[in-house]
Amino acid sequence: MKINRLIVGIVLSLCALGSAPAFAQDGDQILDGIGETGLISRYQFKGDVRDWSRNNLHGIMQGTDFRFMPDSLFGNVLALSGESETYITIPGEAVSGEESLTITGWIYLRSAKSGQVFFDFGKSAGSRFFVAPAGTKEKPGLQTAIVAGSKDYTTSYDAVPLNKWSHLAVVIDIPAKTMSTYLNGVLAVEVKDVALELSQLFDFDTDKNNQLYIGKPIDGGKTFLNAKLSDFRIYRIPLTARQIGRIYYTGLRGGNPQAGRRGQVEQSLPVFAATTPQLYNAFLVSVPDTRVETEVGHLPRLPRYVKGVYSNGVAGPDVRVIWPAPADNSQVLAPGTYTVTGKVAGTSLQPRAVVNVTADGHDHAPQRTLEAFDLEQVTLNADIHNHKTKFIENRDKFITGLEATNPDNFLYMFRNAFGQKQPEGAKPLGGWDSQQTKLRGHATGHYLTAIAQAYASTGYDAVLQARFAGKMEYMVNTLYELSKMSGQPRTAGGEYVADPIAVPPAAGKTGFDSDLSVEGIRTDFQNWGKGFISAYPPDQFIMLEKGATYGGSNAQIWAPYYTLHKIMAGLMDIYEVSGNEKALEIAKGMGTWVHARLSQLPKETLISMWNRYIAGEFGGMNEALARLSRITGEASYLKAAQLFDNIRLFYGDADHSHGLAKNVDMFRGLHSNQHIPQIIGAIEIYRDTESPEYYSIADNFWDIVTHDYMYSIGGVAGARNPNNAECFTAQPATLYENGFAAGGQNETCATYNMLKLTGSLFLFNQSAELMDYYERGLYNHILASVAEHTPANTYHVSLRPGSMKQFGNEEMDGFSCCNGTALESSTKLQNSIYFRSADNQALYVNLYVPSTLTWTERNLSVTQATAYPKEDKTLLTINGKGKFDLNVRVPHWATKGFFVKINGKEMKVAAVPGSYLTISRKWKKGDTVELRMPFSFYLEPVMDQQNIASLFYGPVLLAAQEPGARTEWRKVTLDASDISKSITGDPSKLEFTIDGVVYKPFFDTYGRHSVYLDVVLK
Ligand SMILES: [Zn+2]
């Protein structure tokens, strides 16, 4: 374990060059240079067959003829005798839904008998993937084979040598159509033109039909493996030769830390000449200099887009300029003027910005002038053709799924932690809530929020609404009873520890650990301090304070405060929609427990905790506690919220030298979803403290992240460098150079949180740019993240060539983080269509979605009728009367005009794309406002590789529908003067064709797709 931590330290401090390497993140996030998001499972075989990864895909030892024995190279290994039916099974879900696979492991073969298999994975004897190290009955030598019906891809090589350790790795790379076998870190044999999808090998619908064996053939053969085994791994990505080489060399050195060299950027994307101007830049002549003002200490906000001068009469778009991104504010410490030189991808142009640094000014932090409507005030409607919208479809999938859930399943691990009996029919959840997963309880928190939102959103069906009311009541009552047991005597007069800071180790132990196994979990709730509630004992919270890192061992932890945030937020959501006082009581108890513990820690400890990769991930604890303080009027909760300040991210260092508060990008290379909710917390704390830094932190973060880290669907995570699909790229504005990780991009929960942050910021600053982003992320990621017919949903959404969405958790019984936020997203889809001013004198129409708003405060309603985005207009009808400002969003893409008719009469308006248009009027009952905003096609290039671009039509991202997997970007040639000349199709169906290839909205795409295209303008 030590080794990995060292490697990670080295890798990350190199990735985050210049940006305070003292805070390099640790924990088991990168193994042998490969981010954990690429790893499905890992079996070290040091004394058990448990999965080392966070996925808890533990193996099961079958038979008895095995032993764990010492080994000079690997310390401890598993020995299978081959004498009787002894082998290992791996859960069938390990391979479900994957596109490609890599299997690696060490084998010390002790018998030359043919028919032995290293592993054999498949759904049947006729559909399998295996490695026979000493040959099959038919063929001698090392055999690697895929058999799928009539397809048979087999390779042969020299047999694996006897009585010595060999490293075997097999890569099935579906896009590249290869199956490669590596022996001792070197490619031994490869078969090309493997025309296959893994769904032909495995059952993607019913996991348990997959047979994943180590040491036993699927076909009923009676030859069992006689070998020693070590470090068997399954990856969801096709590893490169270099990555396999590194695993081999690190292993050979017994995991010697010296073997851990810096992580290399995985180079598996097509490379283009850096000096070839692409797309509109090919016609670019010059980019004028700009002038920017800033105040002492604050890095300037440099314009990402500057009007360019083009040749040949081409009306090119504003030019994307990439500016240097300092890691501190040393350039702006005194008033004066300096010049910054930027670059334009693919050109030698060097646009300049003259920065004028002025003396410290005043604070510009705005007031919160808007409020959101309650969920029950907005109802989603069918479109004008009476068709269900995507909004309604997705909502109904989740409402139906949630209605069918058994609350006892979501309470299972809570009762387990408190040593209580399970009621009849209760079943534990799988995924990250299983018995030994250190994040268990997280799904329960999301569930509390989801049923609260479902309750508030189902006013259209009284029976349904009553069911959700019942679920809320039951959940809260049970959690209330448990929380009241914490820190109280078990029986009258018994011993107990009520003080949260005096929690002792479990009986018989000298320290704290995260053992949650049935045999190992502590259930002495009387010692946990008053008010404690969680699905595990308090140890993980205490271990975090003592320096524990993220990982699977009992000395490691996984984000205790993250889990707690979900639970507390869920309880407050229930309180706010139903007035359930017990729910608030539980949240208060735990808020007090947290304040007691954190308020006695030195600042250095807090800084260290909140900067620890994933272990210190606390979701939006700061947001939840600030909210709790506002609900209860109790100041200590707001103090507790501020103890979660991520000092390094917010202020650069303990002296508050710079950080996001002064527009310094402190999050490059960090885990995206660990940090976005912390920013939501900053804006929530600002609401109550009015300390302007908190606003600046949120505002600067949003500006940097959406301009310099965002994919076209609105997602912001997915780095090749550092090699982790959940991290921001190592440097800003380098999405092509450092992004598009093979392990995936666009973690869906990160976009959930980006939307939440965006909505919060808009209440303070009514910039249309915010709601333009909201529309982008909502339509092109959140709506696009749900399966066609079920509530199954995405985790990462890969946008590499020919990718396919992977959906999980159809039965709501095994949650990842993103499966959790999906419950929330799809039960509140109506929450940002309208906002109102706090004084109820203005209405904001942000999104064009068929819906009815009941503006209770003004005693009127507004109906919006449209088929948007299948048409380019919407009709608002005001039912009620009175004077108010109607503010309607003129989207940034509405470059062909924005037309307003009031009661059928065309109005003369000066509407600017990317702004709000205010219509002030004394409204009377039945007044109508028609808004028309013609859609057009436009490209959104990747900032540092302009030819790689997404095609949009109005708000809708169009994806090429791909017939199969591919390794290259789809090439498209479009008319330089007007790209729409190259596109045909039906806007009312949002279906288009370019060169015979069909393009559909990404939110209507379920097969293989290309969201990014390699575009040439002619
Ligand atoms: Zn997630």
Side-chain angles (χ1 to χ4, degrees):
M1 229 49 91
K2 235 185 217 141
I3 322 143
N4 303 329
R5 232 172 279 156
L6 256 168
I7 297 170
V8 167
I10 295 161
V11 170
L12 275 191
S13 51
L14 284 169
C15 292
L17 263 180
S19 56
F23 288 102
Q25 295 194 302
D26 46 18
D28 293 334
Q29 66 151 319
I30 292 183
L31 176 65
D32 294 332
I34 305 157
E36 66 163 342
T37 47
L39 184 68
I40 294 174
S41 59
R42 178 189 187 203
Y43 310 90
Q44 289 181 290
F45 299 140
K46 286 192 180 298
D48 56 46
V49 294
R50 284 168 53 82
D51 172 15
W52 171 94
S53 88
R54 67 184 181 188
N55 300 320
N56 284 275
L57 295 162
H58 302 306
I60 298 171
M61 204 64 235
Q62 310 285 347
T64 53
D65 220 349
F66 68 92
R67 65 192 180 105
F68 292 99
M69 57 186 290
D71 180 84
S72 57
L73 189 54
F74 297 115
N76 221 16
V77 299
L78 170 63
L80 303 175
S81 77
E83 288 300 309
S84 64
E85 289 222 12
T86 297
Y87 58 98
I88 299 146
T89 56
I90 293 170
E93 66 195 268
V95 293
S96 195
E98 300 301 345
E99 172 171 89
S100 293
L101 275 184
T102 299
I103 316 279
T104 75
W106 289 92
I107 179 168
Y108 184 105
L109 194 62
R110 299 189 291 191
S111 157
K113 200 168 167 189
S114 69
Q116 299 179 84
V117 294
F118 179 34
F119 65 87
D120 196 348
F121 290 1
K123 60 184 169 188
S124 68
S127 294
R128 56 194 280 234
F129 162 43
F130 67 89
V131 168
T136 58
K137 296 263 146 52
E138 297 79 28
K139 284 187 195 159
L142 166 63
Q143 303 293 322
T144 305
I146 293 173
V147 181
S150 59
K151 292 178 178 174
D152 186 337
Y153 305 99
T154 304
T155 59
S156 302
Y157 195 70
D158 302 342
V160 169
L162 287 185
N163 298 319
K164 63 184 281 200
W165 282 108
S166 300
H167 188 254
L168 272 175
V170 188
V171 182
I172 305 182
D173 186 335
I174 298 295
K177 298 190 168 60
T178 55
M179 179 181 74
S180 320
T181 304
Y182 293 79
L183 185 59
N184 294 327
V186 176
L187 180 64
V189 55
E190 185 169 76
V191 55
K192 292 191 180 353
D193 298 318
V194 176
L196 187 82
E197 295 281 357
L198 289 189
S199 56
Q200 295 169 269
L201 281 180
F202 305 117
D203 190 332
F204 281 4
D205 297 322
T206 311
D207 296 337
K208 65 176 193 316
N209 290 343
N210 297 324
Q211 303 166 64
L212 311 184
Y213 299 148
I214 298 175
K216 168 195 158 122
I218 291 181
D219 65 2
K222 288 290 167 202
T223 310
F224 294 89
L225 185 63
N226 180 359
K228 294 192 279 187
L229 300 173
S230 179
D231 202 359
F232 187 95
R233 306 179 189 181
I234 308 176
Y235 287 92
R236 60 168 51 86
I237 49 175
L239 293 188
T240 62
R242 174 153 54 183
Q243 288 169 324
I244 288 167
R246 172 187 285 211
I247 294 173
Y248 168 69
Y249 282 109
T250 310
L252 251 199
R253 293 168 202 205
N256 183 331
Q258 299 308 318
R261 288 162 303 170
R262 61 178 290 191
Q264 303 280 345
V265 181
E266 156 212 336
Q267 283 298 359
S268 54
L269 283 181
V271 178
F272 302 92
T275 51
T276 308
Q278 311 278 5
L279 217 63
Y280 294 99
N281 286 354
F283 305 95
L284 190 60
V285 178
S286 64
V287 181
D289 292 355
T290 50
R291 293 194 76 86
V292 181
E293 290 245 323
T294 191
E295 283 170 15
V296 163
H298 296 255
L299 281 184
R301 198 174 275 187
L302 297 165
R304 286 7 177 270
Y305 293 92
V306 177
K307 230 170 212 2
V309 178
Y310 291 93
S311 64
N312 290 352
V314 171
D318 290 353
V319 181
R320 175 64 204 241
V321 180
I322 298 172
W323 302 102
D328 61 35
N329 63 343
S330 51
Q331 276 178 312
V332 291
L333 291 177
T337 300
Y338 72 105
T339 303
V340 186
T341 307
K343 56 184 183 181
V344 176
T347 75
S348 56
L349 295 171
Q350 296 192 311
R352 295 186 310 165
V354 179
V355 181
N356 188 24
V357 185
T358 61
D360 210 353
H362 41 280
D363 301 317
H364 312 287
Q367 296 290 310
R368 176 172 159 126
T369 53
L370 295 197
E371 295 299 329
F373 286 101
D374 292 341
L375 287 176
E376 66 207 34
Q377 290 179 278
V378 183
T379 312
L380 295 171
N381 297 338
D383 73 12
I384 47 166
H385 310 298
N386 213 21
H387 293 151
K388 279 188 178 179
T389 62
K390 201 84 199 164
F391 288 83
I392 291 185
E393 280 177 17
N394 283 2
R395 176 196 70 187
D396 290 352
K397 289 171 207 167
F398 279 85
I399 294 287
T400 307
L402 279 166
E403 194 203 353
T405 52
N406 178 358
D408 283 324
N409 300 354
F410 289 84
L411 290 164
Y412 194 99
M413 290 304 160
F414 287 81
R415 288 185 167 120
N416 179 268
F418 282 77
Q420 305 299 299
K421 257 180 58 190
Q422 300 293 344
E424 207 168 310
K427 274 200 201 125
L429 298 173
W432 292 354
D433 292 276
S434 62
Q435 179 77 39
Q436 295 191 57
T437 311
K438 303 181 199 311
L439 207 68
R440 57 187 232 180
H442 84 107
T444 308
H446 291 294
Y447 181 70
L448 294 172
T449 296
I451 56 176
Q453 293 179 167
Y455 169 79
S457 297
T458 48
Y460 54 84
D461 184 334
V463 175
L464 200 52
Q465 195 168 31
R467 293 223 177 105
F468 285 114
K471 284 188 202 296
M472 287 195 294
E473 182 88 10
Y474 183 76
M475 290 295 293
V476 169
N477 284 344
T478 308
L479 293 172
Y480 183 80
E481 279 170 30
L482 295 176
S483 74
K484 286 290 160 200
M485 289 157 62
S486 287
Q488 300 295 326
R490 276 182 114 89
T491 49
E495 288 189 1
Y496 65 101
V497 179
D499 182 354
I501 61 173
V503 177
K509 288 186 179 170
T510 53
F512 298 92
D513 65 47
S514 58
D515 186 352
L516 301 177
S517 64
V518 173
E519 316 77 44
I521 190 169
R522 68 186 289 191
T523 56
D524 56 333
F525 52 79
Q526 71 276 13
N527 295 324
W528 294 355
K530 209 173 153 214
F532 182 84
I533 186 74
S534 216
Y536 39 72
D539 293 46
Q540 291 199 72
F541 295 92
I542 300 167
M543 293 163 73
L544 175 64
E545 297 168 10
K546 294 180 183 299
T549 58
Y550 162 67
S553 83
N554 285 343
Q556 292 176 301
I557 60 171
W558 186 3
Y561 280 106
Y562 171 94
T563 320
L564 183 60
H565 162 239
K566 311 304 167 223
I567 298 164
M568 290 187 67
L571 290 165
M572 284 186 276
D573 288 336
I574 289 185
Y575 169 73
E576 289 203 321
V577 301
S578 70
N580 188 322
E581 292 287 345
K582 281 184 182 171
L584 184 62
E585 199 63 30
I586 309 168
K588 279 164 65 180
M590 196 58 197
T592 305
W593 191 95
V594 169
H595 180 251
R597 283 213 72 94
L598 296 188
S599 57
Q600 43 105 38
L601 293 176
K603 189 166 249 181
E604 298 70 47
T605 306
L606 291 170
I607 292 178
S608 150
M609 282 161 64
W610 307 146
N611 282 290
R612 230 170 285 154
Y613 176 85
I614 297 229
E617 179 172 6
F618 60 73
M621 271 307 288
N622 48 352
E623 180 215 356
L625 287 163
R627 180 181 173 199
L628 184 61
S629 171
R630 197 166 48 251
I631 293 174
T632 60
E634 175 56 61
S636 66
Y637 298 137
L638 185 59
K639 289 213 178 76
Q642 291 182 279
L643 292 171
F644 284 90
D645 277 358
N646 187 329
I647 304 285
R648 181 181 165 261
L649 178 72
F650 289 6
Y651 306 114
D653 54 35
D655 298 327
H656 291 209
S657 306
H658 52 84
L660 277 171
K662 294 185 174 168
N663 201 27
V664 178
D665 176 354
M666 297 302 296
F667 57 87
R668 55 192 100 192
L670 299 186
H671 188 273
S672 307
N673 200 51
Q674 178 170 354
H675 294 90
I676 301 167
Q678 301 180 358
I679 307 293
I680 301 173
I683 195 79
E684 194 73 7
I685 292 173
Y686 171 67
R687 182 177 171 185
D688 297 316
T689 62
E690 296 192 4
S691 305
E693 320 76 80
Y694 284 113
Y695 179 78
S696 301
I697 288 162
D699 187 43
N700 288 331
F701 175 84
W702 191 91
D703 177 72
I704 299 171
V705 80
T706 55
H707 286 106
D708 295 343
Y709 293 92
M710 188 186 74
Y711 293 91
S712 53
I713 65 170
V716 294
R720 288 206 324 292
N721 174 27
N723 194 338
N724 185 322
E726 289 169 15
C727 286
F728 294 117
T729 50
Q731 292 298 336
T734 58
L735 223 49
Y736 200 78
E737 184 188 345
N738 293 320
F740 289 99
Q745 310 101 46
N746 299 291
E747 186 178 7
T748 307
C749 62
T751 298
Y752 158 91
N753 279 311
M754 279 301 297
L755 294 189
K756 192 167 170 180
L757 171 63
T758 302
S760 296
L761 276 168
F762 192 78
L763 303 179
F764 293 88
N765 169 23
Q766 288 76 57
S767 160
E769 196 184 12
L770 289 162
M771 281 300 154
D772 280 340
Y773 171 80
Y774 201 100
E775 182 177 67
R776 173 199 299 275
L778 181 62
Y779 280 87
N780 302 310
H781 193 172
I782 298 301
L783 285 185
S785 68
V786 181
E788 192 168 7
H789 303 295
T790 76
N793 52 84
T794 59
Y795 188 161
H796 304 115
V797 178
S798 177
L799 301 183
R800 287 163 67 103
S803 293
M804 200 150 68
K805 297 174 190 171
Q806 294 174 7
F807 304 106
N809 196 31
E810 179 178 337
E811 302 293 334
M812 296 189 182
D813 56 0
F815 290 77
S816 68
C817 45
C818 298
N819 298 138
T821 54
L823 291 188
E824 300 190 27
S825 288
S826 293
T827 47
K828 62 164 185 183
L829 289 165
Q830 76 273 35
N831 79 337
S832 296
I833 304 173
Y834 310 97
F835 287 146
R836 62 182 173 86
S837 65
D839 62 7
N840 286 303
Q841 297 303 308
L843 179 67
Y844 281 77
V845 180
N846 307 311
L847 300 169
Y848 301 119
V849 183
S851 54
T852 301
L853 162 70
T854 307
W855 192 356
T856 330
E857 296 83 352
R858 288 295 302 258
N859 195 28
L860 57 79
S861 71
V862 177
T863 308
Q864 189 176 174
T866 179
Y868 184 100
K870 291 183 173 166
E871 65 170 356
D872 60 7
K873 60 182 187 192
T874 189
L875 185 73
L876 300 162
T877 304
I878 318 285
N879 299 300
K881 56 179 192 215
K883 189 172 178 344
F884 62 87
D885 289 348
L886 180 67
N887 297 287
V888 297
R889 186 172 61 93
V890 184
H892 73 100
W893 46 259
T895 50
K896 287 191 163 173
F898 187 89
F899 306 96
V900 180
K901 279 184 192 169
I902 294 185
N903 296 328
K905 246 195 237 148
E906 193 88 39
M907 300 280 294
K908 246 202 147 97
V909 295
V912 180
S915 72
Y916 273 79
L917 176 72
T918 303
I919 306 169
S920 297
R921 199 179 156 91
K922 203 166 175 184
W923 303 94
K924 51 184 200 313
K925 191 170 165 42
D927 276 350
T928 61
V929 181
E930 190 198 273
L931 308 172
R932 193 166 64 82
M933 52 206 106
F935 292 4
S936 57
F937 295 99
Y938 59 97
L939 294 166
E940 284 211 354
V942 178
M943 75 283 281
D944 58 335
Q945 190 62 54
Q946 294 275 312
N947 55 315
I948 304 304
S950 289
L951 177 65
F952 279 80
Y953 181 64
V956 179
L957 173 63
L958 297 172
Q961 309 293 300
E962 294 291 357
R966 54 189 299 139
T967 53
E968 299 279 318
W969 303 104
R970 171 167 290 284
K971 280 197 167 33
V972 181
T973 303
L974 300 174
D975 190 298
S977 62
D978 178 359
I979 62 169
S980 69
K981 287 183 185 162
S982 314
I983 306 167
T984 57
D986 182 354
S988 71
K989 291 200 178 103
L990 292 171
E991 264 196 46
F992 302 96
T993 307
I994 305 173
D995 291 338
V997 175
V998 174
Y999 288 71
K1000 293 205 316 196
F1002 190 51
F1003 61 68
D1004 265 335
T1005 296
Y1006 301 99
R1008 288 192 180 276
H1009 56 77
S1010 284
V1011 157
Y1012 281 99
L1013 310 162
D1014 181 358
V1015 184
V1016 174
L1017 295 177
K1018 278 251 165 77

